[in-house]
């Protein structure tokens, strides 16, 4: 399925698609984390027929139920790019074995090579979380590393 990405100024981004059966839809990702799933009228592809609004934690739960891969947002505006180093914001999966546990229990840097430099919780950034920091549903991690270590940290938080 092809996605057509459109920036919606002052709102967020739209990801439009057409299903195999010809149904036109879109996911609108708002700056505040809310998601709208829009289905368009088959007779008039510019008219929204149905809209389902999901809060950010609800959309993560739905994605997890559908077995979708964990999405990592690249953070490119933090610092000028450094060769071989990437920064990502990664939501913790709803079924992660580390929810409710201390960050130190993950041994993330030792096991993956990536460093967790912040946690985003309820729209606020918690910089440099220590090993005693307890992870909660809806948290997103900000991690730094090379491509392989970031893939490994995603796997770690998904499967343990």
């Amino acid at each position: 399925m092809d996605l057509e990405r459109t920036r919606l100024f002052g709102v967020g981004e739209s990801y439009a698609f057409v299903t195999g059966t010809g149904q036109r839809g879109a996911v609108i990702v708002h700056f505040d984390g809310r998601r709208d799933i829009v289905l368009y009228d088959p007779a008039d592809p510019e008219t929204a027929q149905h809209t389902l609004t999901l809060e950010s934690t609800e959309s993560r739960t739905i994605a997890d139920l559908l077995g979708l891969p964990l999405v990592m947002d690249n953070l490119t505006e933090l610092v000028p790019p450094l060769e071989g180093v990437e920064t990502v914001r990664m939501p913790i999966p709803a079924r992660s074995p580390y929810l409710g546990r201390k960050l130190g229990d993950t041994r993330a840097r030792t096991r993956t090579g990536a460093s967790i430099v912040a946690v985003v919780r309820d729209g606020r950034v918690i910089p440099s979380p220590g090993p005693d920091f307890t992870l909660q549903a809806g948290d997103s991690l900000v991690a730094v590393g090379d491509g392989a270590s970031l893939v490994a940290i995603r796997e770690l938080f998904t499967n343990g």
Side-chain angles (χ1 to χ4, degrees):
M1 172 185 306
D2 292 329
L3 291 176
E4 179 182 324
R5 179 178 163 192
T6 304
R7 181 170 221 113
L8 304 172
F9 294 102
V11 176
E13 292 182 322
S14 169
Y15 296 87
F17 57 88
V18 178
T19 68
T21 61
Q23 175 65 55
R24 187 168 176 273
V27 175
I28 311 298
V29 179
H30 296 260
F31 290 130
D32 66 2
R34 191 181 80 220
R35 300 322 196 239
D36 291 334
I37 300 172
V38 181
L39 298 178
Y40 294 97
D41 185 339
D44 180 4
E46 297 300 316
T47 301
Q49 194 171 36
H50 301 284
T51 301
L52 175 65
T53 299
L54 301 170
E55 298 299 323
S56 61
T57 55
E58 294 169 329
S59 61
R60 285 188 210 109
T61 300
I62 295 296
D64 190 47
L65 288 172
L66 293 172
L68 299 176
L70 183 65
V71 175
M72 295 191 293
D73 296 329
N74 284 309
L75 302 177
T76 57
E77 298 176 13
L78 294 179
V79 295
L82 299 172
E83 186 71 32
V85 177
E86 298 175 49
T87 303
V88 297
R89 179 176 169 177
M90 178 185 78
I92 299 175
R95 295 185 188 161
S96 175
Y98 294 107
L99 287 179
R101 294 178 59 189
K102 305 276 186 209
L103 184 58
D105 293 347
T106 69
R107 297 183 11 250
R109 187 175 41 228
T110 302
R111 295 172 64 191
T112 69
S115 295
I116 298 169
V117 297
V119 173
V120 180
R121 177 177 289 161
D122 298 325
R124 38 181 199 100
V125 177
I126 302 161
S128 304
D132 289 334
F133 183 86
T134 301
L135 299 167
Q136 295 180 1
D139 285 352
S140 289
L141 306 174
V142 178
V144 175
D146 63 16
S149 67
L150 294 173
V151 168
I153 202 166
R154 178 182 64 183
E155 181 67 23
L156 173 70
F157 278 88
T158 301
N159 298 316

